[in-house]
Amino acid sequence: MTKTAKITFEKISLPKSGTLIFLVASDGKLPGMANDLDQAYDKFISKAMKVAQFSGKSSSSLELVSPASLSYGRILLIGLGSNDDPSLVDWRKLGGSIAGILLSNKIDKSTLIVETIKGNASDNEVAANIAHGATLRQYKFDKYQTKSNDKDGSPGFEITSLSIQCEEAAKVKKLYQDQFVSLQTGVFTARDLVNEPANVLGPDEYAKRIKGLAKEGLDIEILDEKALKKLKMNALLGVGQGSRQGSYLAVMKWNGAPKSKAAPLAIVGKGVCFDTGGISIKGAGGMEDMKGDMGGSATVVGLMQTLAKRKAKVNVIGVVGLVENMPDGLAQRPGDIVTSMSGQTIEIINTDAEGRLVLADALWYTQDKYNPSHMINLATLTGAIMVALGKEHAGLFCNNDELADQLVHSGKQTGEPVWRMPMGSAYDKLINSQFADMKNTGGRWGGAITAAQFLERHVNKTPWAHLDIAGVAMASTKSAINQSWGSGYGVDLLNNWIAENHEK
Ligand code: BES
Ligand code: MN
Ligand code: ZN
């Protein structure tokens, strides 16, 4: 599937072949390296920039065929724009844009020179982040496209190699290996899972794939329907009862903390492999997108893989509830009342508000069994969060200000932003039911918030955060570093949150 360019880090020296890439500041200034080219050539570049009116605008490019006297075939100038102090996320995006230009210009082998350009980030960080962005950009999900064509996202041209030249190549190589390679694997796993259609990735197959992650050093436990019945997870089971496939709770354990008994962090995900709405069936338009309703679980799986690959020094429990929400003679009805594992009763008003039912039992089980120090869940939970925040931020709901601040901070650092939403008793009372302890929908207003209140009723005092990722995990806005429908959102965010707050 995704074959990304082999990235190497080397000392600065002019290449013998391929394409030479220079980053150009917005004032048209070339990096010092260009001075090493002979005078005539320097003039050639300046002239080309003038003629083509290339001014170094952000992510603009100018491709030149080099004169016969030079060994490399082409020179590619890439604009850095006018931002005087790009963040690491900006450098990543630049890496993504560079890969995009290489792909559309069909440049298979190239050498990029990174040396003191601008801003406060070190050359080493700049080089590693460019490499990371370039790799994320190249992901594509084309396993079901049997005919080769050149349209974006279809099988076709691939970049073979990208050599990044910088002063401290060996250090950058280590930085890149340590920080980014295991992260990329996890992000690609999450994207793959979200992109996979539901006839392939139903709960049965998904549980099997998760089992396969034992090879990464994760301890995997799959609870099937029989086990879930015994645990009284009737909220989760009710959602899956109209499906021909089983329902599961998959638990992935990573034990990397120096004190092996240290309380774990817990990350919980919604894994609705397909959400038809059930008896409260959805309209036909766009229903195909509901193959991505397991996006929260995909993030958890990708994250656990990343933590295992980089041997994170922390204990983390990943838990995902895997079900399929189908209409059927045996499916759950509106008006049904179920008792969740917590012992609380729930009146089902709308069978399409199923994610919170799955999470209610998954959250309760996780805190009950593992007593985590912090619990974070991710879910493509509501359309309402997209009404509120569009597709740029995930919604953050949290019972703990410190945890909320940490997540907002990690969101900024990784370019996976979250926006904190309000919670409180005035919202909570909207889900009181006349027949049961609560109902599974709260009416027309504040739909993302009442969904969060429902989850909170299944969490005790544990510091807890809920990320509603309906707008950012699937059908995602294409960006410099992601051209895929399934974005893998949250793997970087939570990996960063763990590294910054629980491994130092
Ligand atoms: N999976 C959906 C939410 C969703 C919608 C995710 C669009 C991604 C894109 C969720 O299960 C759902 O159906 N929510 C309902 C809740 C309503 C019935 C209270 C919604 O948001 O409309
Ligand atoms: Mn639904
Ligand atoms: Zn759903």
Side-chain angles (χ1 to χ4, degrees):
M1 258 210 311
T2 298
K3 228 182 103 238
T4 58
K6 185 170 159 44
I7 296 191
T8 50
F9 299 95
E10 283 157 339
K11 287 237 158 219
I12 298 181
S13 74
L14 290 176
K16 302 259 176 310
S17 61
T19 295
L20 179 58
I21 310 174
F22 284 124
L23 303 176
V24 186
S26 59
D27 54 6
K29 220 169 83 196
L30 285 160
M33 179 63 205
N35 296 333
D36 295 358
L37 301 169
D38 60 71
Q39 282 276 303
Y41 197 52
D42 205 5
K43 281 192 190 126
F44 167 71
I45 294 182
S46 320
K47 179 175 176 186
M49 290 202 294
K50 244 185 236 132
V51 172
Q53 298 186 6
F54 178 81
S55 60
K57 263 200 210 124
S58 178
S59 298
S60 63
S61 65
L62 176 62
E63 187 186 315
L64 310 172
V65 174
S66 54
S69 60
L70 294 170
S71 57
Y72 42 95
R74 287 183 271 203
I75 280 220
L76 182 64
L77 305 177
I78 299 208
L80 285 177
S82 52
N83 181 356
D84 284 332
D85 187 16
S87 67
L88 294 180
V89 169
D90 292 331
W91 288 114
R92 258 183 224 191
K93 288 183 185 156
L94 178 80
S97 302
I98 292 173
I101 293 163
L102 296 178
L103 284 168
S104 53
N105 292 18
K106 295 207 166 49
I107 297 175
D108 61 344
K109 274 178 63 189
S110 55
T111 301
L112 166 69
I113 301 196
V114 175
E115 59 169 353
T116 324
I117 318 171
K118 62 170 168 178
N120 292 315
S122 71
D123 278 10
N124 293 5
E125 285 178 312
V126 169
N129 277 277
I130 287 179
H132 181 54
T135 301
L136 291 178
R137 169 63 175 248
Q138 291 168 69
Y139 172 90
K140 54 184 173 184
F141 186 79
D142 57 5
K143 66 193 274 204
Y144 300 110
Q145 292 176 308
T146 64
K147 296 195 180 78
S148 180
N149 67 55
D150 280 345
K151 288 219 190 76
D152 202 20
S154 302
F157 181 77
E158 272 156 2
I159 309 170
T160 346
S161 70
L162 172 61
S163 158
I164 297 190
Q165 296 196 345
C166 43
E167 202 60 48
E168 301 188 301
K171 274 198 191 156
V172 178
K173 183 176 174 186
K174 184 167 182 328
L175 178 70
Y176 181 71
Q177 285 288 341
D178 290 353
Q179 275 195 20
F180 296 124
V181 174
S182 35
L183 176 57
Q184 288 157 10
T185 310
V187 172
F188 286 4
T189 293
R191 288 181 184 176
D192 281 346
L193 291 168
V194 174
N195 286 326
E196 199 72 80
N199 61 330
V200 176
L201 194 74
D204 295 335
E205 168 67 16
Y206 200 173
K208 264 190 220 142
R209 289 201 194 178
I210 290 174
K211 246 189 193 159
L213 285 174
K215 70 170 192 297
E216 304 280 8
L218 292 166
D219 191 0
I220 310 285
E221 187 186 353
I222 308 283
L223 306 179
D224 61 9
E225 283 184 11
K226 202 169 140 220
L228 299 180
K229 256 180 213 136
K230 226 167 136 191
L231 288 161
K232 301 199 168 79
M233 292 204 202
N234 300 313
L236 185 153
L237 285 166
V239 175
Q241 84 190 25
S243 170
R244 300 293 170 98
Q245 299 202 32
S247 298
Y248 304 90
L249 195 82
V251 182
M252 295 153 268
K253 292 175 230 172
W254 172 251
N255 244 66
K259 286 191 202 138
S260 75
K261 291 259 151 48
L265 307 169
I267 317 289
V268 180
K270 167 179 173 181
V272 176
C273 295
F274 196 81
D275 180 14
T276 64
I279 296 300
S280 316
I281 197 164
K282 289 178 181 294
M287 205 205 275
E288 67 278 10
D289 281 358
M290 285 301 117
K291 72 172 184 176
D293 206 20
M294 29 56 70
S297 69
T299 303
V300 177
V301 174
L303 173 70
M304 296 308 293
Q305 188 183 28
T306 292
L307 296 175
K309 281 219 178 290
R310 71 173 180 80
K311 306 224 177 319
K313 292 186 178 51
V314 58
N315 295 341
V316 184
I317 309 282
V319 178
V320 294
L322 309 179
V323 300
E324 185 182 47
N325 187 20
M326 298 294 264
D328 181 83
L330 293 173
Q332 136 171 294
R333 293 152 289 254
D336 285 4
I337 294 176
V338 296
T339 307
S340 74
M341 186 185 173
S342 72
Q344 302 174 94
T345 56
I346 303 164
E347 182 192 5
I348 309 296
I349 300 296
N350 189 321
T351 63
D352 196 11
E354 85 298 338
R356 63 199 75 183
L357 297 168
V358 173
L359 285 173
D361 278 338
L363 289 167
W364 190 267
Y365 173 79
T366 303
Q367 77 181 356
D368 194 54
K369 168 121 190 183
Y370 295 104
N371 207 7
S373 67
H374 299 77
M375 185 158 66
I376 299 179
N377 74 260
L378 302 107
T380 50
L381 203 64
T382 66
I385 199 65
M386 289 187 263
V387 177
L389 300 177
K391 302 192 68 108
E392 309 311 319
H393 284 82
L396 164 65
F397 301 84
C398 194
N399 65 2
N400 180 291
D401 291 343
E402 191 188 3
L403 175 58
D405 290 346
Q406 291 170 353
L407 288 167
V408 169
H409 182 72
S410 286
K412 286 182 184 152
Q413 282 205 321
T414 56
E416 296 186 328
V418 303
W419 192 266
R420 191 173 183 186
M421 300 282 290
M423 297 188 74
S425 57
Y427 295 109
D428 187 69
K429 68 173 194 259
L430 298 177
I431 55 170
N432 288 337
S433 155
Q434 58 174 324
F435 294 112
D437 296 333
M438 71 193 86
K439 50 188 183 181
N440 79 328
T441 62
R444 189 159 153 66
W445 307 115
I449 306 173
T450 47
Q453 297 293 161
F454 184 96
L455 298 183
E456 200 190 25
R457 288 196 189 201
H458 295 85
V459 175
N460 291 327
K461 292 276 168 268
T462 313
W464 158 79
H466 152 53
L467 292 167
D468 194 336
I469 59 172
V472 291
M474 41 176 274
S476 6
T477 316
K478 302 246 189 306
S479 75
I481 58 167
N482 178 46
Q483 298 283 306
S484 158
W485 186 83
S487 65
Y489 177 99
V491 177
D492 196 357
L493 171 77
L494 292 182
N495 182 57
N496 176 284
W497 174 74
I498 290 170
E500 293 282 307
N501 300 289
H502 296 282
E503 289 183 83
K504 285 183 170 161

